[in-house]
Amino acid sequence: MTRAEEFQELRPLLFSIAYRLLGSVSEAEDAVQETWLRYQDCQTRPVSARAFLSATVSRIAIDVLRSARVRREEYAGRWFPEPLLADPYQDPERSAELADSVSMAALLLLERLSPLERAVFVLREVFGFGFDEIASTVGRSEAACRQLVVRARRHMDAGRARFTADRREREELAGRFFDAFREGDVAGLRELLAADVQMVGDSGGKAPLWGEGVFGAENVARTLATFVAPFVRIGGVVEPHRVNGQPGAILRHRDGRVVNTLALDILDGRVQAIRAVINPDKLRHLGPVADAREVLRETNGARRLRH
């Protein structure tokens, strides 16, 4: 097998590692490309291409993450990961860890960790790497890596929800949610929302947003219904889609351009959180992006005409 063939075979794994470390599709793709360039330039053939490439992409991502943390502290408003519609790496033996680790909620918890904690946690808990491989990757002893994993696991566990819902239940509830959403059915939406539900968004200061967020079932239901009815009237499309492994949707302008994505946290039989990514820079990998301000003007115009 040639180096190019080895790299292509391992590319899904490399992207999945980089995305979980960086929370950015574009930065993960850049890290994978840089990994290939370093592999090409390597004078000797590594004993294990998987070990070499995984370590390389992890080190690159750690370096990017260290500089990104400064940028994220200066970010306008809330920072969310770039939406991922499909994880290219699949491993039946670790399917639960892979699915959980790519959710918006999990990636936001990972943001609380230091770059080293994040890397060690992802490599060990998500992808099952041995401590010897991890130690070589991050330049720490195996004992130090074990301590980093314990500390990271403690932080992650402290932020996780204490209740769960199986996939079928989540999908069924999400289907009912988006049916009510398209119809602007306030009562139907309210019934599916947790009492303390929160709807928050990431616009990066580049798109209209509802302040710091909308909180409480009644407020969220009315806000959603107020927006979606005129949006549908102008030809807007609500396209259900898994977003970061969870039920969600892509909202498209009538010409097919992406307006934003929604990701739902569904736990204990209710929608607990709705996270919208509206920042156009974080949507470009999904296709042409609509001007959200222009869409809002159109929906407001349709609302006024209705009344």
Side-chain angles (χ1 to χ4, degrees), residues 132-295:
D132 55 339
E133 297 174 286
I134 297 170
S136 174
T137 296
V138 302
R140 297 289 191 275
S141 68
E142 288 188 39
C145 289
R146 290 179 189 276
Q147 290 179 337
L148 285 167
V149 165
V150 169
R151 192 158 63 233
R153 192 185 295 133
R154 188 183 306 126
H155 285 306
M156 294 293 287
D157 288 345
R160 290 184 196 276
R162 297 291 189 266
F163 37 86
T164 60
D166 69 31
R167 180 168 178 167
R168 182 179 295 181
E169 289 174 348
R170 289 200 303 266
E171 297 293 347
E172 189 275 333
L173 193 146
R176 290 163 55 202
F177 173 87
F178 284 115
D179 285 345
F181 179 48
R182 287 191 199 89
E183 295 167 7
D185 180 358
V186 175
L189 286 167
R190 188 170 52 231
E191 178 186 335
L192 300 171
L193 300 172
D196 58 350
V197 63
Q198 55 176 311
M199 183 168 69
V200 288
D202 172 350
S203 70
K206 299 180 180 182
L209 193 62
W210 47 84
E212 290 298 309
V214 182
F215 306 94
E218 183 68 26
N219 292 334
V220 170
R222 290 193 176 281
T223 300
L224 288 172
T226 299
F227 167 77
V228 75
F231 177 70
V232 171
R233 280 200 295 276
I234 66 168
V237 176
V238 180
E239 181 182 297
H241 205 295
R242 293 187 71 78
V243 177
N244 288 78
Q246 303 298 313
I250 303 171
L251 272 63
R252 296 184 183 275
H253 190 260
R254 60 178 171 270
D255 61 10
R257 288 179 298 160
V258 177
V259 178
N260 69 291
T261 62
L262 298 177
L264 309 182
D265 274 0
I266 298 176
L267 299 164
D268 201 27
R270 292 287 186 276
V271 176
Q272 306 287 331
I274 303 168
R275 295 186 178 90
V277 176
I278 312 171
N279 183 343
D281 295 342
K282 293 187 175 183
L283 299 171
R284 299 193 194 286
H285 64 285
L286 303 180
V289 181
D291 182 335
R293 291 188 172 88
E294 174 189 320
V295 174

Side-chain angles (χ1 to χ4, degrees), residues 1-218:
M1 188 180 288
T2 66
R3 286 196 187 196
E5 289 170 337
E6 285 178 331
F7 179 80
Q8 287 304 321
E9 186 175 280
L10 291 164
R11 191 182 190 109
L13 170 64
L14 304 180
F15 174 86
S16 292
I17 291 172
Y19 177 76
R20 284 164 175 81
L21 293 181
L22 296 168
S24 165
V25 172
S26 54
E27 289 179 347
E29 289 173 343
D30 289 345
V32 171
Q33 182 60 27
E34 177 63 24
T35 299
W36 165 241
L37 295 176
R38 294 189 189 184
Y39 193 38
Q40 274 187 311
D41 292 341
C42 186
Q43 297 300 310
T44 58
R45 192 78 174 254
V47 174
S48 167
R50 180 179 184 273
F52 176 87
L53 292 169
S54 299
T56 301
V57 80
S58 298
R59 292 186 193 119
I60 292 169
I62 289 169
D63 288 342
V64 173
L65 186 59
R66 284 173 172 148
S67 62
R69 288 172 77 87
V70 175
R71 297 198 304 273
R72 288 174 192 177
E73 287 172 1
E74 300 169 351
Y75 192 79
R78 294 175 184 266
W79 180 93
F80 289 162
E82 289 182 10
L84 182 69
L85 301 189
D87 187 354
Y89 179 70
Q90 300 296 322
D91 179 352
E93 294 185 2
R94 305 195 67 81
S95 58
E97 294 90 341
L98 289 167
D100 178 66
S101 65
V102 83
S103 71
M104 285 272 183
L107 291 172
L108 289 171
L109 284 176
L110 283 171
E111 281 291 304
R112 302 179 186 180
L113 306 181
S114 72
L116 271 184
E117 287 173 338
R118 186 167 182 162
V120 171
F121 180 86
V122 166
L123 292 172
R124 178 63 183 175
E125 298 293 295
V126 179
F127 294 98
F129 280 78
F131 279 108
D132 55 339
E133 297 174 286
I134 297 170
S136 174
T137 296
V138 302
R140 297 289 191 275
S141 68
E142 288 188 39
C145 289
R146 290 179 189 276
Q147 290 179 337
L148 285 167
V149 165
V150 169
R151 192 158 63 233
R153 192 185 295 133
R154 188 183 306 126
H155 285 306
M156 294 293 287
D157 288 345
R160 290 184 196 276
R162 297 291 189 266
F163 37 86
T164 60
D166 69 31
R167 180 168 178 167
R168 182 179 295 181
E169 289 174 348
R170 289 200 303 266
E171 297 293 347
E172 189 275 333
L173 193 146
R176 290 163 55 202
F177 173 87
F178 284 115
D179 285 345
F181 179 48
R182 287 191 199 89
E183 295 167 7
D185 180 358
V186 175
L189 286 167
R190 188 170 52 231
E191 178 186 335
L192 300 171
L193 300 172
D196 58 350
V197 63
Q198 55 176 311
M199 183 168 69
V200 288
D202 172 350
S203 70
K206 299 180 180 182
L209 193 62
W210 47 84
E212 290 298 309
V214 182
F215 306 94
E218 183 68 26

